[in-house]
Structures are given as structure tokens and as C-alpha cells.
Amino acid sequence: MTKAIRIHANGGPEVMKWEDVPTPEAGPNEALIRHEAVGLNYIDVYFRSGLYKSPLPATIGMEGSGVVLALGSNVTDLAVGDRVAYAGGPIGAYATQRVIPADRLVKLPDEIDFKTGAAMMLQGLTAQYLLRRTYKVQAGQTILVHAAAGGVGLIMCQWAKYLGVNVIGVVSTADKADLARAHGADHVIVGNQDLPAEVKRITGGAMVPVVYDSVGKDTFNASLDCLAPLGMMVTFGNASGPVPPVDLGVLTAKGSLFVTRPTLATYTAKRADLVAGANELFDVVIKGAVKIRVNQTFPLSEAVAAHVALEGRLTTGSTVLIP
Ligand code: NDP
């Protein structure tokens, strides 16, 4: 037997239970891994609450690092004992051991420890595709990043800075503002200020070519008003709830805007894209351009407390769960 956090119903953090589960066996194209660390992500909240659906009972979690314990007969590019990490589905990371399709794993470079590996894969690959593929930012541009002191946020601030881009971060507290500034945000908007008015003031009226909005319902409309004509609205998360249906005519009225609702799953569906994104991410982390801030660590058995902190906006940077 091994241990896992399982949910038997959707609901608040308390639905997560630390249980004995049978040790899984790797199928022909799978790997059995022992987790050294598991990444905590906001998407775990959506799967727990039921905003995103999965069959029950379920072991949630989409990110981890660890060691290969066994390999299916068709897997040739990994070896037992390899240090590996992953981000994305299928869910099942909140466990001491799990099986996973082997083509979802990447080898963790020696320079990157397990905790950092588990913290950086999902949030870092997200920052990579958002800044480099969804809207390819250019040096000299000024962009708007919501939840700038969060897991994805702190990585985006640093990565954008490294690319020569000016970041306007949005956060809820003065302490988070200091943190975002310390990680490359040039300007920070705190709390319930008039977002478009602040962006107008900071950009001298030009507004921004792209907004990266992971907050969702509460900020969608204000974010649209921060865009320059032909700007790109990247709505990539629902921390405040999902964005209701949008009248497309609004996009015309506000200046022929573009809107996309991307997910990491699409951007890493092809193995080549996953590997290319991971290599770019490893590169910026190893050279120190992007520092992964593991600001909270919880035992995996205390995932309930970790979710309470994440949803309560009490975390900054990344959080890992240790089996
Ligand atoms: P964060 O560490 O950023 O935590 C969420 C942050 O959102 C909070 O700290 C808080 O920052 C802010 N927030 C604003 N409104 C609320 C609210 N009503 N309730 C809770 N938090 C709120 O989490 P992650 O880095 O794990 O993820 C960030 C976002 O990116 C999430 O929305 C996630 O779903 C999304 N995401 C999307 C991906 C994709 O491919 N589409 C992939 C990865 C993440 P503050 O207090 O400063 O407002």
C-alpha cells in the first residue's frame, strides 16, 4: 500500500482525506514514480471544488518530482532511478507514488533539486507559453500581469524582466507589492484601485498590448479596458470564479481586441512542445534569471491546510507538498 490524498465528493478543502491506497502498477507505456515533492496549483482547487470535473473518488494534483521506480515494457528513454518531473494531466499527484504516461515526464537537470522541480514545472511552463507563445512579448513593451506575487506571477515578472519587458503587476496587499517589485515588476497596482486609470497613468495613455489575467470573473472587464487597440486579452484562470459569457461586440467597441482562453494542456500536448518549453524553463532557472520561490511547504498529509492558505490568498510564490 501507499498513501494518497483522495476526494470522494467535491467541496471545500475538508473533502480531502489522507488514505491508504494500493500501490499502482505501470502499464506498458507508463512509469511508476516515487514523489519527492508535489506542486500545489490553483487548478487543484478547481478539481477539488468541482469547477473542473473528474470521476470520483479522485486523487487530485498535476505536478510533481521524484524518482522512477519501475517502467512499462515499451518505455525505452527512461531508466529506473532517473530523477524526473512533470506538469499537467492526468490528475493524481497528491500521492506518495503514482503511475503516469512516461511521455509526460522530463528528466530533471542535476542543478535543480526536487522541491524546486515540483514547484516550477506547472507554473513555469505556463509562464513560458504565455510569454513566448500565446502573446510573444517584445523587449520594450509594457504588459499587465494579475496576481503578480503568486506562483505563476512571480515567475512571469522575472521572465518578462529578463526579456526586457516592463511589467505592471496587480496584487492585493502592500507586502505582495514589495515582493512583485523585488522580482522585476516595474509598477505595481495594489488592491481595488481603478485599474484602467492606473494603467493609463503609468503608460502615458498608450495602454498595454497584452493583459495576462488569471483572476477571471472579478477583473475581466477592467482588464479589457487596459488594452490598447488590437490588444490581446489572455484570460487564463478563475481564481475569483469563471468569466461569464462575453458579448463579442464589446471587443469591437474597445478597439478590435483579441481574446484567448489558453491552457497548458494544449501547449504541451505534443511531446516536442513539452520538451522545448521545459528546456527553456530549465535554462532561465539554471542561469538564475528566474528564481523559483518556494515560500510555503506543507506535508502532503496536510493538503487541507495548504488549500485553505492558497484560496485565502495567504500564499506567495510557489508551494510544495512533501510526501
Ligand atoms: P497563485 O499563487 O497566483 O494564487 C492565486 C492568487 O490569485 C492569489 O494569491 C491572489 O493574489 C489572486 N486572487 C485574486 N482574486 C482571488 C480570489 N477571489 N480568490 C483567491 N485568489 C485570488 O496561484 P497559481 O500560481 O497556482 O495560479 C495562478 C492562476 O493561474 C490561477 O488562476 C490558475 O488557475 C491559473 N493557471 C492557469 C493555467 C493555464 O494554463 N490556463 C496554468 C497555471 C495556472 P492577490 O491576493 O495578490 O490578488
Side-chain angles (χ1 to χ4, degrees), residues 153 160 242 252 301:
T252 317
S301 58

Side-chain angles (χ1 to χ4, degrees), residues 91-102:
I91 58 170
Y94 285 21
T96 54
Q97 297 182 21
R98 75 167 297 180
V99 294
I100 186 162

Side-chain angles (χ1 to χ4, degrees), residues 172-189:
S172 63
T173 68
D175 284 350
K176 289 186 179 185
D178 289 343
L179 195 63
R181 271 190 213 98
H183 290 81
D186 302 86
H187 307 273
V188 184
I189 300 173

